[in-house]
C-alpha cells in the first residue's frame, strides 16, 4: 500500500517552526469485477456436463457423477439412483441418453471479484415447441477447479421467467440475496416461506412472502392433499428442516428485481393410529425395506427459483424441484 508524506514549509529564521510530517494512507482501489468465464466457455461446460452425466447415469456411478455435479443436484441424482436400484429389475427403466440443446440455451454470466466463487446461470428449453424451461446453475469448485452443475429448477410457468439485466458487454450482475439491504426477502425468509407452504398451506408466512403462482399452488396442493391421505386413520405433517446446501445464486433483472436460486430441505412424517401400520410401497423399499411401521419420516432436498423485489413487496416462486433423499421409520 502506498504512503504519501505531507511536507512542511521551511523557515527563513534560525528557529525551527516547521510542522512535523504526517503520514496518510491512500485508499485501496475497489476490486475489479471480471466475467466468471466467456459465453463459449460456459456452453462448453454445459456440453461436457451432459456427456459425463450420461456416462454416470448409464452405470449409476456415484464417482463419475461426482465429477460433474455437486450441491443439492448431486443429492437428488444419487437419490434417483437409489430409488431405481430398489425396484425389481423388471420394473427398472432403461436409461436413455440425453443432452441440453445448446441452440436453445441462454447463458447468464455474472462479473465476479477476486475471492468470490465463480458461477453462471443458464436457461435451457426443450420439447417439440420448446415449451419446457429449466434454470441451470453451474459453479467452479474451489479445490478441483472443476465446473459442476449444482442446481436445476423446472419452471411451472415459463412466462414468469424475468429478463436478466446485461451490461454493454453482455454480462450479468450478481446480487447478494442473503441480505435485506439487497432484496426485500432474503434467502432465509424465502426458505421459511416455502417450508410454510408445505407445512400449513402458506397460512403463516408463505402467502405473506409469495404472490400467488403455479409453483406456490403446487406446494400448497401437496399440503392439502397429502395431509389428508389417511383420513381419520392417521396424519401427515410437513416441517422445514435445516438445509445442507445454504448457497444461493442471484442475478439482477431488467425490472429491478433479482432472480434467486436457492435450496431448502423439508420433512414429511406419516403416522397412523394405534394398532395400525404403514406398509412400504414398491417405490419406498430402497429406503424402508419391507418392514411395516406405525410411522415413517421422509426427507426431501429441493432447489427453488423465485423473483424477489429489491424494494418492499411480495416475491414470486416460479419453480421448484424436489427429490426424496432419505427415509426411515
Amino acid at each position: 500500500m502506498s504512503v504519501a508524506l505531507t511536507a512542511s514549509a521551511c523557515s527563513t529564521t534560525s528557529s525551527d517552526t516547521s510542522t512535523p510530517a504526517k503520514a496518510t494512507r491512500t485508499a485501496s482501489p475497489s476490486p475489479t469485477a471480471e466475467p466468471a468465464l466467456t459465453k463459449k466457455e460456459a456452453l462448453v461446460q454445459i456440453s461436457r456436463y451432459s456427456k459425463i452425466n450420461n456416462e454416470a447415469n448409464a452405470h449409476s456411478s456415484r464417482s463419475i457423477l461426482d465429477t460433474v455435479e455437486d450441491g443439492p443436484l448431486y443429492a437428488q441424482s444419487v437419490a434417483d439412483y437409489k430409488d431405481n436400484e430398489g425396484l425389481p429389475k423388471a420394473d427398472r427403466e432403461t436409461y436413455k441418453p440425453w443432452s441440453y440443446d445448446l441452440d436453445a440455451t441462454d447463458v447468464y454470466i455474472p462479473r465476479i471479484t477476486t475471492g468470490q466463487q465463480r458461477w453462471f446461470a443458464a436457461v435451457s428449453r426443450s420439447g417439440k415447441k420448446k415449451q419446457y424451461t429449466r434454470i441451470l446453475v453451474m459453479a467452479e469448485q474451489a479445490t478441483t477447479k472443476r465446473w459442476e452443475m449444482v442446481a436445476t429448477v423446472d419452471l411451472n410457468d415459463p412466462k414468469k421467467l424475468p429478463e436478466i439485466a446485461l451490461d454493454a458487454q453482455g454480462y450479468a450482475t450478481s446480487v447478494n440475496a442473503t441480505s435485506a439491504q439487497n432484496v426485500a426477502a432474503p434467502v432465509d425468509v424465502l426458505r421459511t416461506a416455502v417450508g410454510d407452504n408445505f407445512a400449513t398451506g402458506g397460512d403463516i408466512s408463505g402467502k405473506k412472502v409469495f404472490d400467488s403462482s403455479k409453483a406456490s399452488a403446487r406446494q400448497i396442493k401437496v399440503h392439502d392433499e397429502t395431509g389428508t391421505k389417511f383420513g381419520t386413520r392417521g396424519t401427515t405433517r410437513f416441517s422445514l428442516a435445516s438445509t445442507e446446501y445454504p448457497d444461493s445464486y442471484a442475478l439482477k433483472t431488467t425490472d429491478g428485481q433479482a432472480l434467486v436460486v436457492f435450496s431448502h430441505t423439508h420433512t414429511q412424517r406419516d403416522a397412523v393410529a394405534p394398532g395400525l401400520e404403514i406398509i412400504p410401497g414398491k417405490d419406498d423399499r430402497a429406503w424402508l425395506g419391507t418392514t411395516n411401521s406405525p410411522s415413517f419420516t421422509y426427507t426431501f432436498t429441493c432447489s427453488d427459483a423465485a423473483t424477489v423485489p429489491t424494494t418492499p413487496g411480495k416475491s414470486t416462486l416460479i419453480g421448484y424441484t424436489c427429490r426424496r433423499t432419505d427415509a426411515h421409520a
Side-chain angles (χ1 to χ4, degrees):
M1 187 173 289
S2 60
V3 176
L5 296 179
T6 303
S8 61
C10 295
S11 172
T12 57
T13 65
S14 60
S15 61
D16 185 2
T17 59
S18 62
T19 303
K22 296 180 180 179
T24 60
R25 295 182 181 273
T26 58
S28 299
S30 299
T32 302
E34 299 291 344
L37 72 179
T38 66
K39 178 180 178 180
K40 181 178 180 180
E41 290 169 338
L43 291 173
V44 167
Q45 292 300 334
I46 294 174
S47 178
R48 170 182 173 273
Y49 167 77
S50 297
K51 179 181 178 180
I52 298 177
N53 179 259
N54 278 321
E55 181 183 356
N57 292 346
H59 303 93
S60 295
S61 173
R62 279 79 165 165
S63 60
I64 295 176
L65 185 70
D66 192 35
T67 66
V68 290
E69 284 189 6
D70 195 28
L73 182 60
Y74 179 75
Q76 292 169 346
S77 296
V78 169
D80 285 343
Y81 290 172
K82 184 165 183 173
D83 277 339
N84 191 55
E85 291 164 351
L87 294 172
K89 289 187 177 181
D91 293 336
R92 299 178 190 177
E93 293 185 5
T94 302
Y95 180 71
K96 298 179 180 180
W98 66 282
S99 64
Y100 286 112
D101 182 353
L102 299 185
D103 291 332
T105 299
D106 299 318
V107 294
Y108 300 102
I109 301 166
R111 292 182 180 274
I112 303 296
T113 59
T114 302
Q116 290 181 317
Q117 183 184 36
R118 297 204 300 162
W119 67 277
F120 70 90
V123 174
S124 187
R125 295 171 178 84
S126 61
K128 291 183 178 180
K129 298 181 179 180
K130 305 303 179 187
Q131 69 271 34
Y132 304 116
T133 302
R134 174 178 289 180
I135 298 175
L136 320 174
V137 177
M138 293 196 77
E140 185 186 55
Q141 303 308 302
T143 53
T144 63
K145 300 302 180 182
R146 288 193 303 249
W147 284 89
E148 299 183 7
M149 194 77 72
V150 295
T152 63
V153 183
D154 294 323
L155 300 191
N156 291 93
D157 186 357
K159 294 179 181 179
K160 294 288 186 180
L161 181 68
E163 184 176 353
I164 304 300
L166 302 175
D167 63 19
Q169 288 73 43
Y171 293 105
T173 301
S174 62
V175 177
N176 179 1
T178 66
S179 171
Q181 294 181 343
N182 300 319
V183 287
V187 169
D188 284 347
V189 174
L190 298 176
R191 196 172 283 128
T192 298
V194 165
D196 185 60
N197 279 347
F198 286 103
T200 73
D203 289 343
I204 296 177
S205 65
K207 293 175 182 177
K208 293 179 181 178
V209 173
F210 292 123
D211 260 333
S212 176
S213 70
K214 290 183 179 179
S216 285
R218 272 181 61 207
Q219 294 178 344
I220 293 171
K221 184 178 181 180
V222 170
H223 164 268
D224 293 344
E225 294 186 353
T226 308
T228 58
K229 67 180 181 180
F230 291 122
T232 59
R233 297 175 299 171
T235 59
T236 293
R237 297 284 184 267
F238 292 95
S239 299
L240 183 67
S242 296
T243 179
E244 187 178 348
Y245 308 102
D247 290 343
S248 60
Y249 306 88
L251 295 173
K252 184 179 179 181
T253 64
T254 56
D255 59 1
Q257 300 191 86
L259 172 63
V260 184
V261 178
F262 60 101
S263 176
H264 86 270
T265 303
H266 69 264
T267 60
Q268 172 188 331
R269 185 176 187 274
D270 289 352
V272 291
L276 300 177
E277 290 185 326
I278 303 171
I279 303 172
K282 181 174 63 177
D283 295 334
D284 300 320
R285 290 177 182 170
W287 306 92
L288 303 175
T290 58
T291 303
N292 301 347
S293 175
S295 67
F296 290 114
T297 299
Y298 311 90
T299 299
F300 296 87
T301 298
C302 310
S303 289
D304 310 84
T307 55
V308 184
T310 54
T311 56
K314 285 189 174 183
S315 302
T316 303
L317 189 70
I318 62 175
Y320 73 97
T321 302
C322 291
R323 291 290 189 278
R324 174 177 54 184
T325 53
D326 189 30
H328 60 271

